Structures are given as C-alpha cells and as structure tokens.
Amino acid sequence: MAIQWFPGHMNVTKKAIAERIKDIDVVIELLDARLPGSSANPMLAALTGQRHKLKVLNKQDLADPARTEAWLAWYRAQAATGAIGLDASETAPAQRLIKACRELVPQRGGMDKPVRVLICGVPNVGKSTLMNTLVGRKAAKTGDEAGVTRIEQRINLANDFYLFDTPGMLWPKILVEKSGYHLAASGAVGRNAYDETETALELIHSIKGTYAAALAERYKLDDVAAIPATHDDVLLTEIGRKRGAVMSGGRIDLQKAAEIVLNDFRSGAIGRITLETPETFTTWLAEAKAAEAERQRQKLAMKKAGRHTPRKDPRGL
C-alpha cells in the first residue's frame, strides 16, 4: 500500500514558501542523511526556481559515512548547489551552514544587502533542533513527531544574515513507493498514514542485504550469511522472539516487533544506515515517473473512449 500524507497545513506552507521566495537569496533544504533522495521535496525545485541551493544532509551521525560522501558529491555536481553533512546537535558543524550560504552568494553581505536564507525540509528532519543550535537558545519547538513546527519563524543569525524557518512539508503525491516507506520509517509521516508492521517489513527488506551484520548483532540473529535471503516476515518474527515480543501461546506480537525495529532505526541503535544511494534512487524515480505517465495515458484514453460511447435512449429504443 502506497503511503501518502499531505495535511492541510502543508498546503498553507507551500503557499507561504511561494510568497517568501521572492526575497530569498539561498534556499537550504535539510535532508535526512539516511534517505537523502526520498527526503528531498520535488515541489521545491518548482517553487525555488533558479535560487542558489544548499543541501544539508542532517543526522549524518546516524547514516552510513561512505554513502553520505557519495550523496554530497552527487549534489555538489549540480548547478548552483552546495552540500554539507551535519549533525544538528553539534554547535561547530552547525556554524558551517552560515559560511556555506555566504560562499554561494558572495555578492550579498552587509546591512545594505543582508543574506536572506529560507530553510525547508520534510517533517521531523531536525530543522527546529538545528535552529536552536544555531542561535544557542530554544527559539523553535522540537519534537520526535512529524508536524511540530506550524508557523514561519525569522531568526537573525547575524546583523546581515536572516534565516526564515518553515514548517515541515511533504508533497501531494509520493511517486516512489519506496520513498513513502523510507519516510515513514524515519518518522517524517504522521502515524495515522502508515501501518507500522508493513513499514518495518519494508525497512528490513531495504537493509537486510547491505546491513545484515548490523541486524545480526543488534538482534542476536545466528546466521548472518542467511539474512539477505531470509523472508522479511521470518526476520521480523525472529526479531520479535529475540526481543521478548511474545504473547500467550508463544505467538509473536508482530506489532510490538515492528515498533522495536522502527524505534531502533530512528535512534541509530541498529547502526549507521543509509537506505538509498544516488544511483538506486535515480532508478526508482525514473521507473515511478514512467509508471505515472502510463497511468495518465490510460486515464486519458479511457476518458476519450467514454466521450465517444453512444448514449442509450432512456426509453430503451
């Protein structure tokens, strides 16, 4: 089942960004370093136009370092785009964000031409934590649920550096099915929009090949070599058994097992994991766009066929 989540306040955010962007020099998109492709909002490209962009891979301390470097190189190869990795809770790396923005627009600076920056990102990606780290005080609400920030905030990080924070925003239709599950696994999607057991199974499927050793170590699984070929349901059941998610009669509580896996992924307890590479995500996106184009073609064909179907005489003649 494809995951979709676009509550009403996100449409308000979209309109606010469209209005604010007229006065912005640099757009920072905060991405989850564990899912950089899936956490990149495709609507921002249309909303931000030719503005300079800084891609910030947040939560890099939870991500696979080698894959983080691959993603940073991939983004830096794009026009008018910078990219840095960040752990939003660390003060020194956070300050690099200001420097990176200034480097993108060297013609801006000073009281006459302040650097005006808009920061965007999916829900629960760590924007509020980053904002609070930058200013050294609690300027923005934080939380471990999607949708904590609901209003735009402006914070002056220097006399000539204005940062505008926006609520987390997804997009109306998530084309890449894997992206929906990855976003749900990270906590970017409201809890009412996905099934935790199904999401945990998809997460296991995504990591059991590359990170089989991490799964075996975390959940005391015996045969590491067998993990990549083991069915996802079997792995989740075994994880539940090892972690005590056992009901009366010896049955495994898959819901509890799923919650354990999702919580462990979000906290980094399984290990440093990145769910996608630039190459795999590019392939997923191309396939999803092709499938969507075919759906639209069939829909249009059916609509045209319906218009040319002779109407029956209500009298039966």
Side-chain angles (χ1 to χ4, degrees):
M1 181 185 71
I3 294 174
Q4 306 292 340
W5 191 58
F6 192 73
H9 72 272
M10 290 188 182
N11 195 46
V12 174
T13 301
K14 175 186 173 183
K15 293 178 180 178
I17 291 175
E19 182 63 29
R20 172 63 62 189
I21 201 66
K22 301 171 186 176
D23 303 317
I24 292 298
D25 303 305
V26 179
V27 176
I28 296 173
E29 184 172 17
L30 204 60
L31 305 173
D32 190 321
R34 299 165 300 176
L35 46 144
S38 293
S39 58
N41 191 332
M43 282 200 312
L44 282 180
L47 289 172
T48 59
Q50 300 302 310
R51 296 293 190 283
H52 287 82
K53 299 174 180 65
L54 179 64
K55 305 290 186 177
V56 177
L57 272 62
N58 196 32
K59 304 183 181 181
Q60 68 169 353
D61 54 315
L62 301 176
D64 183 325
R67 288 189 170 185
T68 295
E69 287 303 317
W71 275 104
L72 289 173
W74 189 75
Y75 277 120
R76 286 168 183 160
Q78 299 176 11
T81 303
I84 62 173
L86 199 66
D87 173 356
S89 66
E90 297 181 19
T91 303
Q95 295 303 317
R96 290 188 291 116
L97 185 149
I98 299 175
K99 182 175 181 289
C101 288
R102 291 191 186 277
E103 290 175 350
L104 284 171
V105 285
Q107 74 279 12
R108 300 291 303 184
M111 295 298 291
D112 293 336
K113 295 187 296 182
V115 180
R116 301 158 302 182
V117 176
L118 183 72
I119 184 168
C120 310
V122 298
N124 205 30
V125 75
K127 284 193 298 88
S128 296
T129 299
L130 175 60
M131 296 286 282
N132 293 338
T133 301
L134 285 168
V135 300
R137 58 184 173 84
K138 192 170 183 179
K141 289 183 178 180
T142 62
D144 60 359
E145 290 188 30
V148 171
T149 303
R150 292 296 184 92
I151 60 173
E152 181 189 78
Q153 304 177 80
R154 169 182 149 172
I155 296 177
N156 298 350
L157 298 182
N159 289 335
D160 64 342
F161 196 102
Y162 305 154
L163 185 62
F164 296 89
D165 184 21
T166 59
M169 181 179 68
L170 289 172
W171 45 103
K173 185 172 184 178
I174 300 173
L175 287 182
V176 180
E177 187 171 337
K178 284 183 179 292
S179 290
Y181 287 112
H182 290 177
L183 287 163
S186 74
V189 175
R191 291 178 181 174
N192 61 338
Y194 65 94
D195 180 86
E196 288 177 311
T197 301
E198 186 177 1
T199 300
L201 287 169
E202 289 290 337
L203 176 62
I204 289 171
H205 186 78
S206 292
I207 67 178
K208 68 181 183 180
T210 305
Y211 303 105
L215 281 172
E217 182 176 353
R218 176 61 181 172
Y219 301 113
K220 311 303 179 188
L221 304 178
D222 299 325
D223 191 350
V224 180
I227 289 177
T230 303
H231 197 279
D232 308 327
D233 289 301
V234 174
L235 285 173
L236 183 60
T237 299
E238 185 60 17
I239 289 170
R241 191 185 321 279
K242 293 287 187 178
R243 293 300 300 273
V246 182
M247 299 184 292
S248 59
R251 293 177 298 120
I252 302 302
D253 186 340
L254 291 181
Q255 172 66 26
K256 185 176 180 180
E259 291 172 0
I260 290 170
V261 171
L262 292 176
N263 288 334
D264 283 353
F265 170 70
R266 291 167 184 169
S267 68
I270 299 175
R272 299 184 67 170
I273 291 172
T274 300
L275 300 176
E276 49 206 44
T277 66
E279 295 74 22
T280 56
F281 183 78
T282 299
T283 299
W284 297 342
L285 183 59
E287 292 173 349
K289 285 183 176 179
E292 178 64 16
E294 177 60 20
R295 280 193 293 270
Q296 293 302 322
R297 187 194 66 77
Q298 292 180 4
K299 184 177 179 180
L300 182 60
M302 291 177 63
K303 186 176 180 180
K304 287 182 178 179
R307 285 203 300 263
H308 292 93
T309 301
R311 293 185 177 181
K312 291 183 179 180
D313 190 312
R315 297 169 296 174
L317 302 176

